[in-house]
Amino acid sequence: MARITVEDCIDKFTSRFELVLVASNRARKLYSGETPTVEIDNDKNTVIALREIAEETLSTEKLKNDLIEEYQTSTFNEDEEVNEIEDNSDESQSEKNHLESNELNIDETQQNDQDFNQPTDETSIETSQDNLKNSPDEDKVQNS
């Protein structure tokens, strides 16, 4: 084949966008060391990937599934890490809130204990009976 274009491969996929995604994914895999299924002919990886698609040496379903698996794996790991971070921050926040509420309860209890145990200023209130006890004997006789 002299040159390959997207037009030569468009009939294999429903949209150009899907074709470009699959071809670029295959080109990256070729770059990372996978063996091509067609002759290299001193072509770049993108041209080799398009030639593989045009000659159907790899099924379109396999190419689609490889693309999906690659994105699922990457996304899943990132989501998993984010969820772990969120879970840890939620747990630490709830523990912090729990400790703060316990400290507030302890402070309130200690304050109540201090208020209860604090001596109060006693003021003496004199009653008429107290007056009789403290008055001279003459007054007691007269009031009785």
Side-chain angles (χ1 to χ4, degrees):
M1 244 182 192
R3 276 323 249 173
I4 188 86
T5 64
V6 173
E7 298 300 324
D8 298 328
C9 304
I10 196 66
D11 59 335
K12 310 291 191 272
F13 292 93
T14 55
S15 70
R16 287 176 184 255
F17 179 72
E18 188 176 16
L19 171 64
V20 170
L21 285 176
V22 170
S24 65
N25 186 50
R26 180 64 184 154
R28 281 192 299 274
K29 286 188 177 201
L30 291 170
Y31 180 77
S32 68
E34 282 195 20
T35 56
T37 57
V38 295
E39 281 188 42
I40 297 175
D41 292 334
N42 203 22
D43 289 327
K44 294 183 179 180
N45 290 331
T46 52
V47 175
I48 295 170
L50 287 172
R51 285 184 36 219
E52 287 178 338
I53 293 169
E55 294 177 17
E56 295 182 8
T57 58
L58 296 173
S59 71
T60 56
E61 289 303 315
K62 180 179 177 359
L63 292 170
K64 286 180 190 179
N65 288 336
D66 287 346
L67 177 68
I68 291 169
E69 285 175 11
E70 185 170 322
Y71 281 109
Q72 280 180 339
T73 303
S74 298
T75 306
F76 182 74
N77 287 336
E78 290 173 7
D79 287 346
E80 194 173 80
E81 291 172 8
V82 168
N83 288 339
E84 286 177 10
I85 291 169
E86 288 175 354
D87 289 344
N88 290 339
S89 66
D90 289 345
E91 287 174 7
S92 64
Q93 184 64 33
S94 66
E95 287 177 14
K96 182 179 176 184
N97 290 341
H98 182 70
L99 289 174
E100 287 175 355
S101 68
N102 282 344
E103 288 175 3
L104 288 175
N105 289 337
I106 290 171
D107 288 344
E108 288 175 2
T109 304
Q110 288 174 348
Q111 182 65 34
N112 290 338
D113 287 347
Q114 286 176 356
D115 290 345
F116 183 74
N117 292 332
Q118 226 173 21
T120 57
D121 292 336
E122 293 184 18
T123 57
S124 61
I125 301 174
E126 293 185 12
T127 63
S128 60
Q129 291 293 329
D130 291 333
N131 288 339
L132 285 176
K133 289 178 187 176
N134 296 332
S135 66
D137 288 336
E138 297 168 355
D139 291 339
K140 289 181 187 175
V141 172
Q142 287 177 358
N143 287 340
S144 310

